[in-house]
Amino acid sequence: MATPEPGRRTHQLTADTDLVVFLIGMRVNKPWRIDAWLPTALAMPRMLAELERDPEQGLLGFRMLLGLSGPMVVQYWRDVDSLYHYASNTTAKHRPVWAAFNRRARKVPGAVGIWHETFTVRGAESMYVDMPRLGLGRALGTVAVTGRLDRARDRLASRQRPPAS
């Protein structure tokens, strides 16, 4: 079990830090077709392990969640180019996993659903009180909440960047 960091903390973010939040999940629609959905479920941990071994790929951190509609991973990326590069990299695990998923989906239509959402973030706010590092705090590190970081509105305002031109 992770050790909590005492007091009030927020994630560390500098003005030049880009951030992309990528949500990805799956839904088992035909539980009896384990041959169709289990390979998909087992692929994500292998891809995440590959990304953790090579921080230069751009994954800053992730968090795996399980909800009523299935598993989901919240990923934090350095920038959108890193995310897209990994997704299309023919020497990384993702491309063969994606191709295999598509082959299974043609054989057993509707057995498993997958989804993703990508967010480029111009500003982010967080608060962790007596918590171990998780989410943005785990991905980017944390700093104590003091002075100008005391209120949520101020934390968010201090971390927003103007849109790219």
Side-chain angles (χ1 to χ4, degrees):
M1 181 177 224
T3 304
E5 293 182 319
R8 299 170 66 219
R9 302 191 66 79
T10 187
H11 70 276
Q12 187 171 345
L13 187 65
T14 63
D16 61 343
T17 302
D18 285 334
L19 182 64
V20 173
V21 178
F22 181 70
L23 309 179
I24 185 164
M26 67 174 268
R27 181 176 187 272
V28 176
N29 297 320
K30 297 179 181 178
W32 61 93
R33 292 306 309 257
I34 195 167
D35 60 312
W37 60 262
L38 185 61
T40 303
L42 295 175
M44 184 56 73
R46 291 193 298 266
M47 288 185 283
L48 292 170
E50 174 183 57
L51 287 161
E52 279 191 307
R53 283 191 302 274
D54 184 7
E56 290 301 310
Q57 295 263 5
L59 181 70
L60 300 172
F62 66 90
R63 187 166 185 209
M64 297 183 82
L65 306 168
L66 185 58
L68 294 177
S69 63
M72 178 178 100
V73 182
V74 179
Q75 298 178 2
Y76 304 98
W77 286 80
R78 175 179 56 222
D79 53 56
V80 75
D81 290 337
S82 297
L83 171 62
Y84 291 163
H85 180 266
Y86 179 74
S88 62
N89 183 348
T90 57
T91 63
K93 293 192 182 303
H94 177 264
R95 286 297 294 244
V97 164
W98 180 242
F101 170 81
N102 285 315
R103 286 191 299 276
R104 283 190 307 278
R106 283 191 293 277
K107 289 180 185 173
V108 190
V112 60
I114 58 170
W115 62 272
H116 78 257
E117 299 173 353
T118 306
F119 303 90
T120 56
V121 180
R122 288 186 13 222
E125 186 277 324
S126 65
M127 171 63 72
Y128 312 100
V129 180
D130 297 329
M131 289 288 298
R133 288 187 180 185
L134 62 97
L136 285 174
R138 183 171 179 192
L140 302 171
T142 64
V143 294
V145 172
T146 59
R148 67 180 179 79
L149 300 177
D150 190 53
R151 294 178 20 168
R153 180 182 307 275
D154 297 333
R155 286 190 300 277
L156 186 57
S158 73
R159 292 161 181 200
Q160 289 185 323
R161 289 183 303 284
S165 45

